[in-house]
Amino acid sequence: MTNIEKMLDAVIQLKGTGLELSEGEIPVAITTEGARKLTKSPLGEREIKMLLSEWENISLGQDFCKIGAAGFRISKLEGKTIFKQETPSKAAVEKFSVKKLLEFIVEKGASDLHLSTGCHPIIRLDGDIATLTEYNLVTEDELLEQLKAIVPESALEEFDKTNDVDLAYSVPGFARFRTNIFRDHRGACVVFRVIPSEILTVKDLNVPREVVALTSLSKGLILVTGPTGSGKSTTLAALLDHINQTENKHIITIEDPLEFIHENKKSLVNQREVHTHTESFKRSLRAALREDPDVILVGEMRDLETIAIAVEMAVTGHLVLGTLHTATAVGTVDRIVDQFPVDQQSQIRVMLSDALSGVISQVLCKKKGGGRAAAYEVLIVTPSVANLIREKKTFQIPSLMQTGKGMGMMLMNDALMTLVEKGVIDPQDALDRSTDPDDLKKTLKAKKLG
């Protein structure tokens, strides 16, 4: 909960009618019994700006925002900022429009739009869910009618048969959206995720230079991992674009669905969409062997056969980039090995130790004042790391990563700690994103940051 939300919640708890903020004065809740102070210290210009920035984020730039069971409208009067409590019903209710809402989330920098039968439209901004109560509840008939105007008929036919379908929806010259239509106990639902029209560079994303250097290898396996919504596709696109701008290569991507569109720069790029241009990941990977590739991007290594082919291609002279839903670099190695039957695991460990070049595991954190920042755990596969993979001693890899900082290796807690020390993120957000919060808490306390 942001500081402005805490203050407005305090107003609700005090059964107040509003909140007043003024530079140089203590914030007060307006109640029937008079003004009630909410802090011990007056607010400076910096604190006021921070609170207004938080309001801008949670209200999505609107004058009205729902907080809990109440709603507040912002206004300015005689140098004061006033948040007056209103019942949400007083806010104008607008009929939802898929196209207008997609324009809205792109304009506001939100990542996702959720339209679910029986619910108000919901968006995700800076990692948090926000309900757009100014729009009417979504009805199934209305939602399906609007989807018919923008979704291919073949996709809707698949949805009718299977109750879910993946696709990419594009508005030429505006934006692309990774889209999933599904059905739950209320009825039809759809989620649109924004695919930025411009591919961010490795510099924009602060991808570690040691990871970027791996893209110049002639062969090997580079994995970008992390939970859903952690920015894996964005990082992969940036790495691929770096190759495209700096190398004369033939790049093949296999995705479900196509996300970022890469124009030919120095490289030739062929992009294939599963179920549209090819039957499956494994089929298109096998076909790629006859298509003279230098670099192959596998959108998701989701089954044993796909993983096996990708590892084999990396060993036999191709640079392969892919993603996995794992939380740590070491977990990625173990996850790949565990996919195989026990009697094949020794062999795959040997192949993986030869194939794997690096693993980048990432999480997205909320930046102070709005926006997102990525924290990267980096494993560079040195001969010592490869030896531990072969010998089934992956539990020792974190120690090598700790001592291998000079080679660009980084543990997640160290990456999160760096963002905290730079003032980019709050200590609590770092703890929320950590895979070992107890250890991070000790470090924060030792440095008097938490």
Side-chain angles (χ1 to χ4, degrees):
M1 184 179 284
T2 63
N3 290 313
I4 190 65
E5 287 176 290
K6 290 177 182 176
M7 287 187 179
L8 294 173
D9 185 61
V11 172
I12 296 169
Q13 299 304 318
L14 292 169
K15 298 182 180 179
T17 59
L19 168 70
E20 285 189 5
L21 302 178
S22 183
E23 187 178 335
E25 295 184 14
I26 292 175
V28 295
I30 305 303
T31 73
T32 54
E33 299 175 357
R36 297 279 298 274
K37 295 179 180 180
L38 297 181
T39 66
K40 294 181 180 179
S41 304
L43 299 176
E45 180 183 4
R46 182 173 173 273
E47 287 84 6
I48 293 282
K49 285 183 178 179
M50 183 189 72
L51 291 169
L52 293 180
S53 174
E54 290 176 347
W55 170 266
E56 185 77 13
N57 285 331
I58 65 172
S59 70
L60 309 172
Q62 306 298 304
D63 291 338
F64 180 87
C65 182
K66 186 177 178 183
I67 306 292
F72 290 85
R73 189 175 299 280
I74 187 174
S75 63
K76 299 287 181 79
L77 180 65
E78 298 177 353
K80 294 183 178 181
T81 302
I82 300 171
F83 297 86
K84 185 178 180 182
Q85 188 173 166
E86 293 182 6
T87 56
S89 59
K90 288 185 179 179
V93 176
E94 183 179 342
K95 182 178 179 181
F96 84 91
S97 161
V98 172
K99 289 184 178 180
K100 285 184 179 180
L101 284 168
L102 291 176
E103 291 174 3
F104 177 76
I105 65 169
V106 172
E107 177 189 339
K108 294 299 178 183
S111 60
D112 300 84
L113 169 65
H114 294 253
L115 297 173
S116 300
T117 297
C119 304
H120 292 288
I122 289 173
I123 71 171
R124 187 179 293 277
L125 180 65
D126 294 341
D128 292 328
I129 287 290
T131 301
L132 305 182
T133 53
E134 63 267 35
Y135 291 92
N136 65 317
L137 298 175
V138 175
T139 66
E140 182 172 59
D141 290 344
E142 202 171 9
L143 178 59
L144 292 176
E145 189 63 33
Q146 291 194 43
L147 289 178
K148 285 179 183 177
I150 63 175
V151 173
E153 187 177 347
S154 58
L156 289 176
E157 288 175 356
E158 183 177 343
F159 169 66
D160 286 338
K161 292 178 183 177
T162 64
N163 285 327
D164 56 65
V165 62
D166 284 314
L167 66 146
Y169 169 58
S170 178
V171 181
F174 177 64
R176 284 170 55 79
F177 303 89
R178 190 172 73 194
T179 308
N180 179 271
I181 310 171
F182 64 100
R183 195 181 299 280
D184 73 358
H185 67 287
R186 299 186 192 92
C189 310
V190 61
V191 180
F192 294 92
R193 168 157 292 180
V194 179
I195 303 170
S197 54
E198 291 187 10
I199 298 172
L200 296 177
T201 67
V202 290
K203 186 176 180 181
D204 292 332
L205 299 174
N206 293 314
V207 178
R209 65 178 182 275
E210 291 81 5
V211 174
V212 177
L214 295 176
T215 62
S216 64
L217 296 174
S218 60
K219 67 175 185 176
L221 178 63
I222 302 172
L223 295 175
V224 179
T225 75
T228 300
S230 60
K232 297 186 296 295
S233 297
T234 302
T235 300
L236 266 184
L239 292 172
L240 204 67
D241 185 62
H242 179 76
I243 297 171
N244 194 11
Q245 292 191 58
T246 59
E247 306 272 355
N248 295 308
K249 302 283 189 179
H250 178 205
I251 301 169
I252 294 176
T253 80
I254 306 162
E255 304 169 70
D256 182 21
L258 287 185
E259 295 193 41
F260 296 89
I261 302 301
H262 296 265
E263 302 296 335
N264 294 340
K265 293 177 182 176
K266 274 196 170 185
S267 295
L268 166 64
V269 186
N270 292 126
Q271 294 185 257
R272 307 189 70 194
E273 183 173 276
V274 175
H275 305 308
T276 301
H277 310 122
T278 181
E279 183 181 281
S280 64
F281 278 106
K282 59 187 178 183
R283 183 180 179 88
S284 54
L285 265 175
R286 290 193 182 283
L289 290 169
R290 300 184 294 276
E291 293 161 2
D292 186 35
D294 298 296
V295 180
I296 302 165
L297 182 145
V298 186
E300 189 175 341
M301 295 167 61
R302 60 175 61 160
D303 59 65
L304 186 150
E305 192 168 357
T306 299
I307 292 172
I309 299 169
V311 171
E312 183 180 350
M313 293 181 81
V315 170
T316 57
H318 303 87
L319 184 63
V320 181
L321 291 81
T323 68
L324 278 172
H325 292 283
T326 49
T328 65
V330 174
T332 300
V333 174
D334 292 336
R335 168 77 178 275
I336 290 173
V337 173
D338 289 344
Q339 289 271 356
F340 291 81
V342 174
D343 61 342
Q344 296 179 28
Q345 289 184 2
S346 294
Q347 180 184 357
I348 198 63
R349 281 185 181 278
V350 172
M351 290 184 67
L352 188 60
S353 67
D354 290 337
L356 194 61
S357 300
V359 181
I360 179 168
S361 296
Q362 63 183 72
V363 294
L364 283 182
C365 306
K366 291 171 63 176
K367 290 174 69 175
K368 292 180 179 179
R372 312 292 292 280
Y376 301 107
E377 178 171 274
V378 180
L379 170 63
I380 306 296
V381 181
T382 62
S384 297
V385 172
N387 191 50
L388 291 178
I389 294 173
R390 278 193 298 271
E391 294 183 0
K392 200 178 178 180
K393 296 179 179 178
T394 53
F395 62 91
Q396 295 181 14
I397 290 177
S399 296
L400 283 182
M401 293 173 69
Q402 191 71 50
T403 58
K405 291 180 180 179
M407 292 178 283
M409 297 203 212
M410 179 72 72
L411 289 167
M412 180 57 74
N413 274 0
D414 293 331
L416 290 167
M417 193 68 210
T418 298
L419 292 176
V420 173
E421 290 179 311
K422 289 181 177 179
V424 178
I425 66 174
D426 286 319
Q428 186 57 52
D429 194 42
L431 289 169
D432 291 342
R433 300 292 184 273
S434 174
T435 53
D436 187 359
D438 291 339
D439 180 68
L440 181 58
K441 188 178 291 185
K442 291 177 185 177
T443 306
L444 287 166
K445 285 184 177 179
K447 296 193 176 185
K448 298 181 180 179
L449 291 169

